[in-house]
Amino acid sequence: MLCCRDSTNKYSRLDAKLEKKMVEVKRASLGRSNFKSIDSIIMRFPQFREELKKIRDVFEQYDEDSNGTIDLEELKKCLQKLELHLTAEEIEDLFHSCDMDGSEGIQFNEFIVLLCLIYLLKEPSSSHNTSKIDSPQLEATFDTVIEVFSFLDKNGDGKLNKTDMVKALNEASPLEKSPAHVTRTRFKEMDWSKRGKVSFREFLFAFIDWVGIDTNEEMSPVRSPSK
């Protein structure tokens, strides 16, 4: 099970699973990272943007009524075609955890988050098949996004806090500290629950908005969900 929709804490349960998974990723990396600073991440934004935009073809293919969202039944067909074998309950749980505006439809940015969560949480289908999504290019992109989170997670506890963000923003130039309001703004854009801690799921929505899938603007303000 990826999460439990019957519980009123279904989102916290999902985030706890993600937290555990990100701790495992951090430990497995042994402190190695392709990123040395926030600047090195921002420089990759154009590449992230182009790779993630390619998912739109899949999204539009399964948005059968072309209304800009994928409903639950369309999502089931999509995941079946992608050979992502989840139970009906797992699909429904993920659908509602990514439907951030409560519209009963998955928009494009929510679809990207949903696929990345499945990629992170789902185990390979067999010992002979190490692939979790039938797209090496998409897997590589998701691996890099996961690595960005791991880089920002300085204490390796599977979630982000303000201290993590301060360290990351100031790592490239220790003598040139980022203004405090910049750090607060970036963290606020991620911390929708206002708990002072950011889950991988919350980070994904903010990161996709920063990259600018639908615009050419980078680090644009994040739109908070209504629920």
Side-chain angles (χ1 to χ4, degrees):
M1 287 295 297
L2 299 179
C3 57
C4 180
R5 191 178 179 224
D6 290 336
S7 169
T8 56
N9 296 320
K10 60 180 177 293
Y11 301 120
S12 61
R13 287 176 183 270
L14 174 61
D15 288 341
K17 283 183 176 288
L18 293 169
E19 181 180 314
K20 180 180 179 181
K21 201 71 176 179
M22 292 310 303
V23 169
E24 294 174 2
V25 169
K26 185 75 171 181
R27 288 176 180 171
S29 72
L30 300 175
R32 296 188 297 267
S33 176
N34 291 316
F35 299 107
K36 304 302 181 185
S37 67
I38 285 289
D39 287 345
S40 66
I41 295 172
I42 293 175
M43 288 178 65
R44 295 282 294 277
F45 276 9
Q47 180 180 346
F48 283 128
R49 185 182 301 120
E50 292 308 308
E51 292 301 322
L52 293 176
K53 277 183 176 179
K54 293 175 182 178
I55 301 176
R56 186 176 290 280
D57 290 338
V58 178
F59 179 84
E60 292 179 348
Q61 180 181 352
Y62 291 97
D63 177 16
E64 296 177 349
D65 53 10
S66 300
N67 67 346
T69 65
I70 290 180
D71 63 29
L72 185 57
E73 292 306 312
E74 291 171 334
L75 178 63
K76 289 177 181 178
K77 294 178 184 178
C78 173
L79 297 182
Q80 184 177 19
K81 182 68 174 179
L82 293 175
E83 297 185 11
L84 296 172
H85 305 297
L86 305 176
T87 67
E89 187 176 19
E90 287 173 334
I91 294 173
E92 189 170 344
D93 287 340
L94 283 164
F95 178 87
H96 288 287
S97 71
C98 292
D99 178 21
M100 298 304 286
D101 60 3
S103 65
E104 293 300 319
I106 298 293
Q107 300 174 38
F108 180 53
N109 65 325
E110 296 169 336
F111 183 68
I112 295 173
V113 171
L114 186 144
L115 287 184
C116 191
L117 293 184
I118 292 175
Y119 175 70
L120 178 63
L121 293 172
K122 189 167 177 59
E123 299 299 328
S125 58
S126 73
S127 59
H128 303 292
N129 179 17
T130 58
S131 176
K132 293 189 279 186
I133 293 180
D134 189 22
S135 172
Q137 192 173 41
L138 185 55
E139 287 195 9
T141 299
F142 285 160
D143 279 336
T144 306
V145 174
I146 290 167
E147 187 178 356
V148 170
F149 182 93
S150 184
F151 168 77
L152 296 174
D153 179 17
K154 296 303 180 183
N155 63 6
D157 65 354
K159 52 187 176 293
L160 305 182
N161 55 49
K162 285 185 181 180
T163 302
D164 287 333
M165 289 300 294
V166 170
K167 287 182 179 179
L169 286 169
N170 294 326
E171 218 162 39
S173 303
L175 299 180
E176 298 180 11
K177 301 295 184 182
S178 296
H181 75 275
V182 173
T183 303
R184 286 196 302 269
T185 298
R186 293 291 164 241
F187 189 79
K188 184 178 180 181
E189 288 170 354
M190 294 188 292
D191 187 21
W192 293 343
S193 62
K194 297 179 171 57
R195 293 179 295 119
K197 298 176 181 179
V198 174
S199 71
F200 181 66
R201 183 170 60 95
E202 291 173 312
F203 161 78
L204 275 177
F205 278 103
F207 184 77
I208 290 170
D209 214 49
W210 292 345
V211 168
I213 300 301
D214 296 316
T215 70
N216 292 321
E217 296 178 4
E218 295 178 353
M219 302 294 272
S220 57
V222 174
R223 296 174 296 278
S224 297
S226 59
K227 70 174 183 178

